[in-house]
Amino acid sequence: DAGVTQSPTHLIKTRGQQVTLRCSPKSGHDTVSWYQQALGQGPQFIFQYYEEEERQRGNFPDRFSGHQFPNYSSELNVNALLLGDSALYLCASSRTTGGPANEKLFFGSGTQLSVL
Amino acid sequence: QKEVEQDPGPLSVPEGAIVSLNCTYSNSAFQYFMWYRQYSRKGPELLMYTYSSGNKEDGRFTAQVDKSSKYISLFIRDSQPSDSATYLCAMTGGSTLGRLYFGRGTQLTVWP
């Protein structure tokens, strides 16, 4: 049973460029969340997708956008990259069951983005 | 004030020691509490998941939640070198598992 898979594993971009990160959720999961983890910090919530809609959003600018496809996979897009966007981007999946007590969040290994 | 506070360490203990990791939080709406383990350059791995106050034990790991003090703990008994990692606390409230609020993580090293 494959877990959460992310691609690419590493990416180097320059300021002002745009980037797309991809995520395939764990089998049986229908909800995808994206997190940004700066070096030495805990993950920060970017947004969550469920039924192809953005269900929740954290405190990130509109430069960060996403999409969920009918097969539950997801993309994170970041426009006009800044040096401060350099971080590990984590995708996490879960199965929405109607109550957090029965839901668990599983993370992928992340995409390390470096902005030069 | 951050919603979740966690001492980043680093914490260094000998093999076999009991390790205590802690987080405090400010939002009384948090009801679901998690501990994740993160190895270098990997994604976080769920270790423990508890609801509301109380204790939960799983093998060498025990999670405690004290909602009255807004304080959670993770104890690791008989620590092993393979336990060396960063430990992240996370928590949330609400009707579905949406946004998790993480601490910054405590870096633990268990030396043989």
Side-chain angles (χ1 to χ4, degrees), chain B residues 12-61:
Chain B
S12 181
V13 301
E15 183 175 356
I18 296 175
V19 176
S20 172
L21 304 167
N22 311 293
C23 288
T24 59
Y25 62 95
S26 57
N27 191 338
S28 58
F30 290 153
Q31 299 183 70
Y32 301 92
F33 304 92
M34 287 140 268
W35 286 95
Y36 283 85
R37 177 173 62 194
Q38 186 174 28
Y39 293 112
S40 181
R41 301 183 182 185
K42 296 290 185 183
E45 170 196 9
L46 181 64
L47 278 178
M48 301 290 283
Y49 185 2
T50 55
Y51 168 66
S52 195
S53 287
N55 294 356
K56 183 175 182 179
E57 187 174 321
D58 184 1
R60 297 185 295 111
F61 298 90

Side-chain angles (χ1 to χ4, degrees), chain A residues 49-68:
Chain A
Y49 277 84
Y50 173 65
E51 293 187 338
E52 302 179 51
E53 297 283 335
E54 183 183 287
R55 180 159 69 177
Q56 270 191 290
R57 188 178 183 93
N59 300 324
F60 279 81
D62 292 345
R63 298 187 297 110
F64 290 77
S65 63
H67 188 78
Q68 186 180 33

Side-chain angles (χ1 to χ4, degrees), chain B residues 36-107:
Chain B
Y36 283 85
R37 177 173 62 194
Q38 186 174 28
Y39 293 112
S40 181
R41 301 183 182 185
K42 296 290 185 183
E45 170 196 9
L46 181 64
L47 278 178
M48 301 290 283
Y49 185 2
T50 55
Y51 168 66
S52 195
S53 287
N55 294 356
K56 183 175 182 179
E57 187 174 321
D58 184 1
R60 297 185 295 111
F61 298 90
T62 299
Q64 289 185 351
V65 175
D66 182 349
K67 289 191 69 180
S68 63
S69 301
K70 296 188 177 69
Y71 187 87
I72 70 170
S73 301
L74 177 70
F75 297 95
I76 307 174
R77 291 182 300 281
D78 187 26
S79 57
Q80 303 294 310
S82 59
D83 294 329
S84 298
T86 296
Y87 289 80
L88 296 154
C89 64
M91 51 199 76
T92 189
S95 60
T96 187
L97 194 67
R99 177 179 186 171
L100 291 188
Y101 294 82
F102 280 86
R104 63 179 297 184
T106 299
Q107 186 180 345

Side-chain angles (χ1 to χ4, degrees), chain A residues 35-36 44-47 57-64 89:
Chain A
Y35 287 79
Q36 179 196 65
Q44 297 291 313
F45 177 76
I46 302 175
F47 42 53
R57 188 178 183 93
N59 300 324
F60 279 81
D62 292 345
R63 298 187 297 110
F64 290 77
Y89 287 85

